[in-house]
Amino acid sequence: MTTLDTRHLQQLDAAHHLHPFNDNAALAKRGTRILTRGEGCYVWDADGNQLLDAFAGLWCVNIGYGRKELGVAAARQMETLAYYNSFFQCTTEPTIALAAKLAELAPGDLNHAFFTNSGSEANDTILRLVRHFWAVQDQPRKNIFIGRHDGYHGTTMAGASLGGMKGMHQQGGLPIPDIHHIDPPFWFIDGGDLSPDEYGLVAARRLEDKILELGPERVAAFIGEPIMGAIGVYIPPMTYWPEIERICRKYDVLLVADEVICGFGRTGEWFGSQYFGFQPDVMTIAKGITSGYIPLGAAMFNDRVAWVLKEQGGELAHGCTYSGHPVCAAVALENIRIMQDEKLVETCRHDTAPYLAERWAQLGEHKLVGEARIAGMMGALELVPDKRQRRFFRERGSVGGVCRDHALAQGLILRATWDAMLLSPPLIISREQIDMLFARTWKALDATAAGLAA
Ligand code: PXG
C-alpha cells in the first residue's frame, strides 16, 4: 500500500467514521493509524511499520495473529450452516459444543452459558437475569448491584453503569438506578502504611460496609474484575478476593467475576478467580474466548442460579439475534482447542510469565517507574514524578501518552491509562520477544525521562 493510499484512507476515515473512546476532532487532524496485517505477536500498519503488539489488540488476541485454523473453522461453518438462532426451540451443534466446553473449563459449578456478542452485553444479561433470579424468589427488592469506582464493565447502559468510570457516567445519564460503587483496591495510592495484605482486607471490608448501609435484603450482587484492567491493571493483594467471597456468602449476595480480560489465560490460569482462589457464582467472558478473531461474549451461571432461572424463571425475555451464533461458536472452539493442544496457559504459568515478571521488575528500577506490577501476562508500569513516593504526577495523565508515543517510535505497542503503561501481550510471546519488549520499553522510558528533564 502506498503512502498516498494511506492518506486517502485517513481522509475517508475522518469524514465518515466515529471512533470509540476518542476525541474525534483531534483524531481527524492527527490521522488514524491503519493496521493492515498481523502475524504472531506483530502487526503492520499501512505505512509499512512492523510493531510488537504488547497489548494483544485490546487485551484479546491471546493466541496471536494469523492463525489460519480459525479462518478455516469459520469458513467451514459458514459453508455448512452460516446462521441459525437459539430462539425457536432450536440451536446449532457448535453452540451446544461450546456451552459444554465452557462448562468443563469454568471453575466450580459455573456450568451454564448465555451467549452474547460482547462483554458489555454479557454484563447487561447478568444484570437482568440476576435481578430476575431474586424477583422470582419473592425478593424483587434485592436488586442492587455493587461495583467499584474506576471499574470497567463495558459501554452499554448497564455495563457502563456497573463500571465506575466518571467520564462515562457523565455521558448519557448514568448510572441507571440501583447501582452503587465502592472504592477499588489500589494499594499503591490508597494503602498508606498498611502492608498490601492488611490493606487487601481493609479494601474488601468496604463491601461489607456498603451492604450494611444499603441493607442485605436490597443487595443482589457484587461485580468486579479480578484484576482491574482498563483503569490501569490494579492487582489486588491476595487477601482481597477471599475476603470479598466471605462477605458475599455471609449476606447471600451473588459474586460476579467479570473475566472479560482476565479469562482465557491472561493471568497464567484459565480464569482470574483461579489465580486469586475464589469461586464466583456468575462470570462474564468475552475477548480471549475467540482471541478476538470474531465477536463473542457469554454470561456463565452456577447451578444454583441456573436452576432458579430454568425451573422458576418462566420464559426468559432476553436474547440477541446472534446469541450463540454458530460461526462464532466454531471459532471459539477452535481457539480453545489450540490453547489446550499447545498448552498455552501452562507455558505462560511455568515459563514465559515468570520470565516476563523478572524483566518487568527490572523495568521497575527505571527512575521514572514508581511501581512495576504484574500478574501472569498482564502488568503496568506506574510512572511517577518521584520514585521514593507513592503518588501520581500533579497533572495526572500528562506523561503516559508521551511514553506511549516513544514506545510506538521504537516499534512497540503499549497502552497508556493516565500515567500507567499497560502490558497485555499475546500469550504466545517468546523469551526473545520479551527481551525485545524490555529493550524497547527501557528506551521509551529513557526518552520520556529526557523530555521531562528538558
Ligand atoms: N468487562 C471488562 C472487564 C472489560 O475489560 C468489557 C467488560 C466489555 O466488553 P466489550 O466486548 O463489550 O468491549 C471489557 C472491555 C480499555 C478498554 O480502554 C477495555 C475494554 C474495552 C474497550 C477499551 O482498556 N474492555
Side-chain angles (χ1 to χ4, degrees):
M1 187 175 287
T2 66
T3 309
L4 192 65
D5 286 333
T6 307
R7 299 294 158 259
H8 182 56
L9 284 170
Q10 286 174 326
Q11 281 162 7
L12 288 176
D13 187 67
H16 303 295
H17 181 192
L18 284 169
H19 286 251
F21 286 102
N22 262 280
D23 175 335
N24 277 274
L27 181 65
K29 286 203 191 88
R30 180 185 173 135
T32 40
R33 178 183 295 277
I34 299 161
L35 284 303
T36 53
R37 192 162 75 80
E39 188 68 42
C41 291
Y42 295 101
V43 290
W44 282 261
D45 69 19
D47 291 329
N49 298 305
Q50 181 187 11
L51 303 163
L52 177 63
D53 183 7
F55 203 60
L58 192 49
W59 317 92
C60 57
V61 188
N62 289 7
I63 64 166
Y65 296 91
R67 290 298 299 247
K68 300 211 167 18
E69 302 93 318
L70 270 61
V72 170
R76 194 183 300 134
Q77 186 57 44
M78 282 185 186
E79 285 162 12
T80 312
L81 179 65
Y83 174 76
Y84 210 77
N85 65 62
S86 293
F87 281 47
F88 311 131
Q89 298 98 39
C90 296
T91 192
T92 70
E93 273 182 50
T95 314
I96 298 170
L98 180 60
K101 186 62 165 178
L102 291 172
E104 176 194 315
L105 283 177
D109 64 344
L110 286 161
N111 289 325
H112 314 266
F114 190 104
F115 292 111
T116 64
N117 305 297
S118 66
S120 301
E121 286 172 347
N123 281 328
D124 273 50
T125 298
I126 288 167
L127 184 92
R128 291 195 67 203
L129 296 192
V130 163
R131 284 181 171 171
H132 186 53
F133 163 84
W134 289 116
V136 297
Q137 294 176 99
D138 295 327
Q139 297 189 71
R141 277 173 42 78
K142 199 168 168 69
N143 67 343
I144 292 177
F145 270 63
I146 300 175
R148 273 112 35 110
H149 297 297
D150 291 333
Y152 190 88
H153 299 295
T155 57
T156 49
M157 294 296 276
S161 296
L162 293 167
M165 300 280 187
K166 283 197 195 69
M168 293 174 73
H169 289 177
Q170 279 159 10
Q171 297 179 1
L174 303 180
I176 57 176
D178 291 320
I179 292 179
H180 292 252
H181 300 87
I182 58 173
D183 282 336
F186 189 36
W187 177 83
F188 181 75
I189 286 296
D190 192 35
D193 295 332
L194 298 176
S195 72
D197 277 353
E198 288 167 343
Y199 171 73
L201 295 176
V202 169
R205 286 175 192 153
R206 292 171 184 155
L207 175 61
E208 186 156 29
D209 294 344
K210 185 56 93 177
I211 292 172
L212 292 173
E213 174 195 321
L214 296 164
E217 73 288 354
R218 292 289 330 269
V219 183
F222 172 73
I223 183 167
E225 306 151 77
I227 294 170
M228 296 171 76
I231 188 57
V233 185
Y234 291 1
I235 305 171
M238 292 307 278
T239 49
Y240 180 78
W241 277 109
E243 182 68 1
I244 289 280
E245 182 178 29
R246 184 191 68 75
I247 293 164
C248 286
R249 302 283 170 256
K250 182 170 171 190
Y251 298 103
D252 201 12
V253 165
L254 292 179
L255 176 49
V256 185
D258 183 337
E259 298 266 9
V260 168
I261 288 178
C262 293
F264 297 91
R266 180 62 45 208
T267 65
E269 302 283 343
W270 275 91
F271 297 97
S273 61
Q274 294 163 321
Y275 181 90
F276 290 105
F278 71 99
Q279 179 59 48
D281 301 302
V282 181
M283 178 165 95
T284 323
I285 51 179
K287 293 191 190 276
I289 187 174
T290 58
S291 284
Y293 279 58
I294 202 162
L296 180 65
M300 297 211 62
F301 299 96
N302 70 6
D303 288 345
R304 174 192 177 198
V305 178
W307 187 89
V308 171
L309 292 176
K310 284 180 178 172
E311 299 299 325
Q312 302 177 344
E315 178 179 318
L316 290 186
H318 186 75
C320 327
T321 303
Y322 300 133
S323 289
H325 195 293
V327 176
C328 304
V331 171
L333 284 166
E334 185 61 7
N335 175 59
I336 294 168
R337 183 198 65 72
I338 288 174
M339 290 185 72
Q340 289 190 313
D341 284 0
E342 299 181 9
K343 299 199 178 341
L344 295 187
V345 182
E346 292 80 354
T347 304
C348 282
R349 186 189 313 140
H350 298 303
D351 183 38
T352 40
Y355 184 63
L356 179 62
E358 239 174 73
R359 298 301 258 160
W360 205 242
Q362 288 164 355
L363 288 169
E365 289 162 21
H366 195 280
K367 64 180 174 204
L368 211 50
V369 178
E371 184 181 64
R373 40 183 188 268
I374 192 157
M377 287 278 165
M378 69 192 282
L381 300 174
E382 192 69 53
L383 310 188
V384 292
D386 179 351
K387 204 173 170 56
R388 291 159 306 182
Q389 293 179 21
R390 283 164 30 208
R391 64 178 176 82
F392 296 137
F393 285 96
R394 188 163 305 142
E395 201 189 322
R396 196 178 171 201
S398 56
V399 179
V402 174
C403 185
R404 179 203 53 218
D405 290 345
H406 283 304
L408 268 178
Q410 298 291 329
L412 172 68
I413 299 178
L414 284 176
R415 161 81 192 284
T417 296
W418 300 108
D419 300 308
M421 305 311 299
L422 310 190
L423 171 78
S424 160
L427 305 184
I428 54 157
I429 192 169
S430 67
R431 283 176 171 246
E432 292 70 32
Q433 287 164 337
I434 291 171
D435 289 340
M436 183 188 290
L437 164 74
F438 171 87
R440 292 181 182 184
T441 307
W442 190 275
K443 279 191 193 154
L445 291 169
D446 271 352
T448 309
L452 284 175

